[in-house]
Structure formats: C-alpha cells, structure tokens
Amino acid sequence: MAAVTPDHLHDHHHGPSGLMRWITTTNHKDIGTMYLLFSFIMFLSGGVMALTIRAELFQPGLQVVEPEFFNQLTTMHGLVMVFGAIMPAFVGFANWMLPLMIGASDMAFARMNNWSFWLLPVAAVMLIGSFFVPGGATAAGWTLYPPLSVQMGMGMDLAIFAVHIMGISSIMGAINIVVTILNMRAPGMTLMKMPLFCWTWLITAYLLIAVMPVLAGAVTMILTDRHFGTSFFNAAGGGDPVLFQHIFWFFGHPEVYIMILPAFGIVSQIIPTFARKPLFGYASMVYATASIAVLSFVVWAHHMFATGMPAQGQLFFMYATMLIAVPTGVKVFNWIATMWRGSMTFETPMLWSVGFIFVFTLGGFTGLICAIAPVDIQLHDTYYVVAHFHYVLVAGSLFALFAGAYYWLPKWTGHMPNETIGKLHFWCSMVFFNITFFPMHFLGLAGMPRRIPDYALQFADFNALATVGAFGFGLSQLIFIVVVVKCVRGGEKAAARSWEDADGLEWTVPSPAPHHTFEVAPVFK
Amino acid sequence: MNLSGRLAGSGLSLIVSGSALAQSRYNFQEPVTSVAEQLYDLHTLMLIICAVIFVAVFGVMFWSVFKHRKSRGAVAANFHESTTVEILWTIIPVFILVGMAWPATRTILYMKDTSSPDITIKATGYQWKWGYDYLQGEGEGIRFVSNLSTPREQIEGSEAKGEHYLLEVDNPVVVPVGKKVRILTTASDVIHSWWVPAFGVKQDAIPGFIRDTWFRADREGIYRGNCVELCGKDHGYMPIEVHVVSAEAYSQWVAKQVASKAALAAN
C-alpha cells in the first residue's frame, strides 16, 4: 500500500511563497489548514459573545449589556458558531483527510476549492462587521424569523449577504467532495470499503447541496420583503410569517445533521483504532447514516409545534422525529459493540470520542423528549432546548472535532500532541461543559424562556452556576492552542502510522504528510 | 462588584427565591389543569424510559471501558458484525417508541379540542405588552392592555427586586375556576407567544392570523408566564399573569369592569 516514492518525500513546494502562497494555493492540505484556522478563530469570536451573554445572565437585572445588544449577541453567537465555526471546521477535515483516505492526489476541483475557502473570510468580515453599522448587528435570533427580521436595521442585510456567500462556499465545497469521493478513489476501494468518515461526508455533501439553496431562497425573500415591497411573510400583503419557518426549518433540520454526520464519521475512525478492533456493523453504519439523512427532510416542523399546526401535522412530525432515534441508536450501539472485548487504550483522541458518545447521547435523549409534541409545548423556546442543542452541538460536533484534531495532528504536523496537556483539555472541557449546560435543563423545565437578558428570581442560582461553568469552559479552550502550538513546534516525532493500530491509507504516507501525496494512486487491497 | 460580592449576591437571591416560591426548581411547575397534568406525567414517563435505557447502554459501555483495557491485559476479539444483534437493536427501539407515542397521541388530540368553551379571550401580542379582549361568555366586551409592572429601578438594580420580579403586570387576566377558557392568539407587529407553564398552554401569536388553545384551571390562584417567542428589545419584559378566581369573585370583577367602562363612557 505504500505509495510515496522516495523522491517525493522531500519534494518542496514550488510557486509563490509567503502570503501569496496561501492566497493562491490549490493544495488540499493548505486549504484544509486554512479552513481549520479560520473556524478556530470564529469559534473564539463566537465564544467571546457567549461569555458576554453568560456574564449578563450571571445575576437577575441588567448589569453588563442592554437588551437590544444582548439580542444581537445571541443572534450572532448562533450564526457565527453554526456557519463560521462548526461547518467550516468539518470542511477543513474533509479537505485534509478525504484525499488522503481515498488515495487521491488532491480534491477534484482544486481551484474551486481555493475559491470556496476564500469566500469565507469575506462573509465573516461582513457578518462580524455588522456589529459596527448603524443599528448594530441583526437581533432577530439566528433563525431570522420575520416579521422581526424585517424590522431590523442594515445589520440584517449584511447578515443576509454573508449567509448567501457562506452558502455558495458550502455548495461548492460539497460538490467538490461528492466528485472527489465518487471519481478519485484508489483502485480497489469500492464504496463499501471506504472509511466511514468518507461515507458520512459524502452523505453530508448531498444534504448541503439540497438545503443550502433553500436557505438562500428564504433569506432572499426576507431581503425583498425588507426593501422591494414584496409580502412573502407579511400578512397585510397576503403573505404568511409562518411560511418562513417552514422554509427555514426545511433547511434547518438537515443542517443539524450536516453538523453531526461528519462527527459520527470522525468518531467511527477513532474508536476502532484505540479498541484495536474493526468497526462493528460497518454496513449498518452506512445505512443508518443514509436513513438519518433521508428522515431529516421530513421532520422540520418539530421546531414549530407551538405555531399551532393541526393535530394531524403534530402527529406526523412527532412520529417522523421519533423514528430518527432508531438509526441514531444503531450508531451508538455499534460504537459500544466496537469497544466491547477490545483492547482499549485511552489516548487523548479516544478520550474525546468516548466522552462524545456519553454526552452526545444525553443530548439525544433530551431530543427524544422534545420530539414528543405535547411535552415540547412546555419545553419549546425554553432553556431546556438551549441545553439540548448545546449537548448535541458542543458535546457532539465540537467534541468530535477535537477528537479528530488530536487524532490527525501527528499527520498534519509530524509530531505527537502532548498527551498530558491534551487530557487536561479534555477533562476541563468535559467538567465545565456539564456545569454550564446541565443546569439549563432544570431552568427550562421550571419555566425560564430562552433569549431573555433578565429573568425571574427563582432562576438565579442555576444561572450563576451556568455562568461560572461557561467561563471555565471558555478558558479551557485556550489549552487547545497550547497543544497545537507545541505540536507544530516540536515534540515526539510521529511515525507514518502514528497510532499503534490505526488503519487506513492516510497512515501509509509519512508524517507530516508531504505537500503532494498519492501522485500515483495506491492500490487498495 | 467583585466576584465574591457577586457570588454572595446570587447566594442571597437563592435564599429569597427558595422561600418565595414553593414550586419545583428541577421539574415542571405544579400543574393546575388536566392538560398540564398529562404533560407532567408524560414527561415523567419519558424520563424514566430514557433513564432505564441510559443506565443499560452506558452500563455496558463503562463495563467495557474498565474491563477491556489493554493495560489489564485484554486481547482484542475480532468480531465485527452480527446480523441477529443488529436487527434486534433496530426492532426493539421501534417498540419502545410506539409505547411512547401512544399516550402522546392521546394527549395531542385532547389538547387540540378547543370546542365549546365557556369563555373566549383574545390575547394580542404587541411590542411589548399583551392586549386582552373578552369575546364570548360572561364578561364579554371587557378589554384591556396588560403591561409589566416591575419598576425600572428594580431592573437596573437601584432598588431591591420584588418577589415577583418580571412576572407581574398592571392588569392581570381574570378567569373563573373550573370553566373552559379558549384563548385566541394574534399579534399586531411580530410573532409573540402566550405561555402559562402551570396551565400547559403555549401558543404562538402570529400577526395576521388567529390561533387558538384552551385551559380549564382546577384551582384558584395566581399563575404567571412569559412571552416565549423572541419579539425584539423587551422580549424579556412582557409577562402574563392570570388570576383564577371563584365564580362569584369573577362576576364581581366583571361587574366592576363594566361599571368602570360605563363611567368612562359617561365622562
């Protein structure tokens, strides 16, 4: 399987150097690195917004920010984390790892790849810059519901254009991934022999192509309602505000799986490595991923149970949503069966992965509880929902991203990440995450609405606790910077197969992966 | 204020809230309608089922984590599929889900039955207050606007916060105990949402459209809720306060409202 000939080992990059190298690069590894750096910067920006929110909520009353700015923060925290941090981070992993995993020399459309990335900083500048325009950033919530979003100032227009640009970037990235996976696999690697990470990304890419245009349509209708006299969402002109919610969530629910399916893929790579056992139920993992993707298109209105849809509507969306628990359960069972009777060690990537299964599944259970339409009537738009989606997005997507980062850092940098600091990062994150978000379940059950800057006195203690946890969680993420910087600068040299029992083509190339890999396709047995 | 001061402050408010409110801090508020009762029980049932599955699944996982370690000399097995097991753990969850869906379906149909109310009240969301119109039944024709009554000084912190901070209004909704009250919701500007947790009632108020929901309160008392759909700057400051009173007290309240309206008209 060894595919890299010696004269390629030390090949040097030809072409522009310095800044121009990064601006003009068409190399999937460079672009992957830029995606990952970009998403981490956005993650820190969104994190600062979250901490400002938590500082305001530390005590009842208004102390830190005014309500209008508070709403801007909650809105932008959501938009920045979803579109700026989580999604680009997964695309970064796809760029770096997919060609290495399938034995391709690069992504299929290398120039388009460059363009997909460089659109993102432009969108990010518009989005974050909207804080500084008259009226400030949009404060309509990340879901941008009209008519509230129609009332907003020009910050809303900037957000709309930023969403357009990020959508174009995502669609191009997704097309690139689909074409790369379908056409550029090494000889012998049939679809059902691909690493599971490739499968989850293939399915995710189809989801992206299907729903990003829907979002673009929805925000464009808001734009024309705002400036060009249309009334898509204005009842006085014959429109319907709830129509927007249907369109938005038709995008929004598949979007949830766009942010978690690649996470499933990463964890499915890591657990077999450290359990020293092949992944249990590979085929059922693929089918489960595909079922989740298909079901994700018919559950959108479970975000809208409180809008007052007819009983038949509530029943259909409740049943369909509950059904998603079946393939998701299959995945969790398969991971545990992979661990069962393995020979496990718990290096940092494995810790993050096992942590992921544990905490993500908690979010899965609360998701099931929210799926029960009548119970959701009590829970909708409360802190219970905030707790639920942070369990699946932070403890789910983000934890899996960290797992993947620790797992592939040796391949990226040529050095093993420091185990002690990495484990410290994990345990701090795990503990502070739960201190932050677990009390929010109680807040929601007891009746605290979300998106409020100030609250009744009975919610004070849990809010104070959540704020303490949030600052702990935020500071813990700085540990990750230490790990990465140390790992880039030096440390224990990583072997080509950096982890004892790691399997896959990416471990057949040297560490760090040379600039060009698999110029001759390897033969996959 | 420094951090220790803040912590002390929050500890203080913890004691205040503990004595002021007899409601649960870990669960739904105590139900006072049959709908809220059903939601409470449904949630408890769901929580128990989830807890059992949780213990079973993670019992297996942590057993494996502690026993099947390389450091304990575990040697990896090599199995990687079992059609029987995989079919079983696909089918069994389906049956569990059916068991959950059955009571939930009954509750949905019950909640959606807004027919033959004794009293109908329209709640209109405004930025940032609620307007109420009594449309049908005893009290027909009464209308008023309900604003937050917590003083600005309490919000800004120059005054101590009262017991019902942010959950008190100038003109509460008054309804008789044991009567079926149908709430129609709409809004004049953006989407709001009318929520009283103790009633198990939450209904978005959508501009240009009418939606409905209902409750029949079994116990007299004062019940409080909030707007729960982000509606702009003062979204956190448009509470709902409902007084459930005896039939006689309700009649008196209606008479008083009618009289004051007549007096207003006479002037």
Side-chain angles (χ1 to χ4, degrees):
Chain A
M1 278 210 298
V4 182
T5 50
D7 49 318
H8 284 122
L9 274 175
H10 300 287
D11 79 334
H12 287 284
H13 182 68
H14 305 289
S17 59
L19 186 61
M20 282 311 282
R21 167 189 166 184
W22 295 100
I23 292 177
T24 60
T25 184
T26 55
N27 181 285
H28 73 101
K29 300 181 187 80
D30 284 356
I31 293 172
T33 305
M34 290 195 295
Y35 263 109
L36 292 171
L37 273 177
F38 170 82
S39 60
F40 194 72
I41 293 168
M42 293 304 274
F43 171 64
L44 294 181
S45 328
V48 169
M49 296 174 202
L51 293 184
T52 316
I53 292 168
R54 283 312 324 169
E56 174 52 53
L57 290 172
F58 183 57
Q59 277 189 309
L62 293 177
Q63 293 92 15
V64 183
V65 293
E66 286 301 307
E68 182 64 24
F69 187 59
F70 181 90
N71 290 344
Q72 294 179 25
L73 287 173
T74 53
T75 304
M76 295 296 283
H77 167 72
L79 289 171
V80 164
M81 287 302 199
V82 168
F83 294 106
I86 300 289
M87 288 172 71
F90 281 123
V91 183
F93 274 85
N95 262 292
W96 245 107
M97 299 320 298
L98 286 180
L100 288 180
M101 287 176 138
I102 63 172
S105 56
D106 205 308
M107 296 295 282
F109 305 115
R111 281 171 208 282
M112 190 169 88
N113 205 13
N114 170 291
W115 180 227
S116 327
F117 172 76
W118 280 107
L119 284 176
L120 283 180
V122 177
V125 167
M126 288 173 68
L127 195 58
I128 307 255
S130 72
F131 272 115
F132 306 100
V133 300
T138 170
W142 87 277
T143 51
L144 308 174
Y145 281 6
L148 188 59
S149 53
V150 176
Q151 287 183 345
M152 292 293 140
M154 68 182 283
M156 183 71 211
D157 301 315
L158 285 170
I160 289 174
F161 290 132
V163 166
H164 279 150
I165 296 172
M166 290 186 288
I168 294 170
S169 160
S170 288
I171 292 170
M172 291 197 302
I175 291 173
N176 216 341
I177 286 164
V178 170
V179 176
T180 306
I181 292 179
L182 292 185
N183 292 322
M184 295 175 69
R185 296 190 311 280
M189 184 178 280
T190 60
L191 279 176
M192 288 308 274
K193 284 183 184 165
M194 282 197 305
L196 207 75
F197 179 69
C198 306
W199 257 115
T200 55
W201 241 117
L202 179 64
I203 291 168
T204 302
Y206 277 109
L207 288 181
L208 276 167
I209 296 169
V211 300
M212 291 313 284
V214 177
L215 175 66
V219 296
T220 306
M221 285 190 265
I222 289 188
L223 189 76
T224 63
D225 268 15
R226 286 167 56 80
H227 298 296
F228 307 115
T230 56
S231 305
F232 292 109
F233 310 127
N234 176 7
D240 182 352
V242 178
L243 172 66
F244 175 85
Q245 300 182 20
H246 284 289
I247 304 173
F248 180 86
W249 287 114
F250 187 83
F251 146 80
H253 205 79
E255 167 72 12
V256 171
Y257 295 106
I258 288 168
M259 292 189 285
I260 199 67
L261 292 182
F264 291 166
I266 291 176
V267 170
S268 303
Q269 297 302 124
I270 295 172
I271 290 194
T273 298
F274 296 96
R276 294 171 178 73
K277 234 181 101 214
L279 183 69
F280 186 89
Y282 174 90
S284 66
M285 281 298 219
V286 172
Y287 301 141
T289 311
S291 326
I292 292 174
V294 171
L295 283 174
S296 75
F297 284 102
V298 293
V299 297
W300 75 89
H302 68 215
H303 298 268
M304 303 163 55
F305 284 143
T307 55
M309 70 177 87
Q312 298 90 319
Q314 288 204 347
L315 290 175
F316 172 78
F317 286 107
M318 177 176 81
Y319 298 151
T321 306
M322 292 174 78
L323 214 49
I324 291 192
V326 176
T328 315
V330 166
K331 285 187 159 292
V332 174
F333 299 145
N334 280 343
W335 288 323
I336 294 178
T338 307
M339 291 159 69
W340 187 253
R341 290 182 54 207
S343 171
M344 280 188 279
T345 50
F346 294 89
E347 286 87 346
T348 313
M350 182 66 163
L351 270 186
W352 282 102
S353 301
V354 176
F356 162 90
I357 298 179
F358 184 66
V359 201
F360 169 80
T361 306
L362 273 175
F365 281 125
T366 55
L368 186 56
I369 290 175
C370 286
I372 306 293
V375 178
D376 184 67
I377 290 293
Q378 286 288 46
L379 300 175
H380 178 74
D381 266 328
T382 68
Y383 259 80
Y384 193 92
V385 175
V386 177
H388 159 68
F389 68 71
H390 282 93
Y391 265 81
V392 289
L393 267 180
V394 178
S397 307
L398 183 67
F399 277 24
L401 283 164
F402 282 132
Y406 283 102
Y407 186 57
W408 284 306
L409 262 174
K411 188 54 63 191
W412 300 338
T413 64
H415 305 289
M416 300 304 285
N418 184 310
E419 278 293 317
T420 316
I421 311 181
K423 283 178 176 157
L424 180 74
H425 178 211
F426 168 75
W427 285 111
C428 287
S429 298
M430 189 70 171
V431 169
F432 284 119
F433 170 81
N434 283 293
I435 294 178
T436 310
F437 293 105
F438 204 77
M440 291 187 187
H441 293 114
F442 300 131
L443 287 173
L445 287 169
M448 178 169 164
R450 62 192 279 212
R451 294 167 165 170
I452 54 172
D454 194 358
Y455 47 83
L457 299 180
Q458 71 263 35
F459 307 125
D461 47 351
F462 285 135
N463 269 297
L465 187 63
T467 298
V468 171
F471 276 85
F473 186 80
L475 292 176
S476 304
Q477 303 322 306
L478 302 180
I479 303 173
F480 183 65
I481 302 180
V482 177
V483 175
V484 174
V485 169
K486 274 178 78 92
C487 193
V488 171
R489 284 203 175 156
E492 190 195 329
K493 280 258 173 289
R497 188 179 302 278
S498 316
W499 308 100
E500 192 183 85
D501 208 46
D503 192 28
L505 289 177
E506 79 264 36
W507 305 110
T508 63
V509 302
S511 302
H515 201 65
H516 297 291
T517 40
F518 297 128
E519 283 167 293
V520 178
V523 177
F524 185 80
K525 55 174 173 42
Chain B
M1 222 192 289
N2 62 22
L3 185 69
S4 60
R6 283 184 162 225
L7 281 173
S10 72
L12 195 71
S13 56
L14 193 154
I15 295 159
V16 171
S17 63
S19 60
L21 284 129
Q23 69 184 43
S24 170
R25 301 174 18 177
Y26 303 98
N27 207 338
F28 284 148
Q29 296 181 14
E30 208 188 328
V32 291
T33 65
S34 51
V35 167
E37 191 92 47
Q38 289 189 26
L39 301 186
Y40 192 99
D41 294 342
L42 207 48
H43 175 253
T44 308
L45 172 74
M46 293 290 302
L47 206 58
I48 292 170
I49 296 176
C50 288
V52 170
I53 301 173
F54 180 85
V55 170
V57 171
F58 287 103
V60 173
M61 189 182 90
F62 280 108
W63 176 273
S64 182
V65 163
F66 289 113
K67 289 284 176 187
H68 304 147
R69 283 174 179 256
K70 198 181 180 196
S71 56
R72 298 181 62 130
V75 180
N78 201 31
F79 63 87
H80 55 85
E81 58 188 1
S82 159
T83 315
T84 325
V85 172
E86 287 171 66
I87 289 176
L88 268 181
W89 69 37
T90 311
I91 302 287
I92 293 172
V94 173
F95 284 107
I96 299 174
L97 290 177
V98 172
M100 292 171 162
W102 177 251
T105 303
R106 277 202 322 234
T107 304
I108 288 181
L109 298 177
Y110 182 66
M111 289 169 87
K112 281 287 173 187
D113 179 15
T114 55
S115 60
S116 45
D118 299 309
I119 291 176
T120 303
I121 304 172
K122 184 175 76 165
T124 308
Y126 301 91
Q127 285 172 316
W128 292 275
K129 59 192 171 218
W130 289 99
Y132 296 100
D133 295 71
Y134 285 58
L135 296 183
Q136 170 256 319
E138 189 182 359
E140 188 176 322
I142 294 175
R143 53 188 310 181
F144 54 87
V145 171
S146 179
N147 281 293
L148 175 76
S149 61
T150 302
R152 191 74 206 164
E153 291 71 30
Q154 289 191 13
I155 296 170
E156 278 159 1
S158 55
E159 231 177 60
K161 294 181 184 12
E163 188 184 337
H164 299 299
Y165 178 68
L166 297 188
L167 292 176
E168 52 202 351
V169 300
D170 51 2
N171 298 310
V173 181
V174 178
V175 294
V177 69
K179 291 275 192 283
K180 183 167 184 175
V181 180
R182 181 180 180 219
I183 299 283
L184 304 179
T185 64
T186 187
S188 80
D189 32 49
V190 301
I191 302 175
H192 302 267
S193 193
W194 200 84
W195 183 34
V196 180
F199 295 168
V201 161
K202 181 184 284 157
Q203 177 56 57
D204 285 1
I206 300 156
F209 293 84
I210 300 273
R211 296 286 204 268
D212 69 348
T213 184
W214 69 277
F215 64 87
R216 179 186 278 125
D218 297 328
R219 270 202 312 281
E220 293 174 33
I222 298 174
Y223 304 103
R224 299 166 196 278
N226 307 74
C227 173
V228 278
E229 181 64 61
L230 178 63
C231 56
K233 181 166 71 71
D234 285 342
H235 164 56
Y237 302 100
M238 49 183 292
I240 293 145
E241 185 177 331
V242 181
H243 291 201
V244 177
V245 299
S246 66
E248 305 80 65
Y250 182 68
S251 300
Q252 283 168 19
W253 178 77
V254 168
K256 217 175 102 191
Q257 294 291 315
V258 171
S260 68
K261 196 177 163 193
L264 218 66
N267 290 338

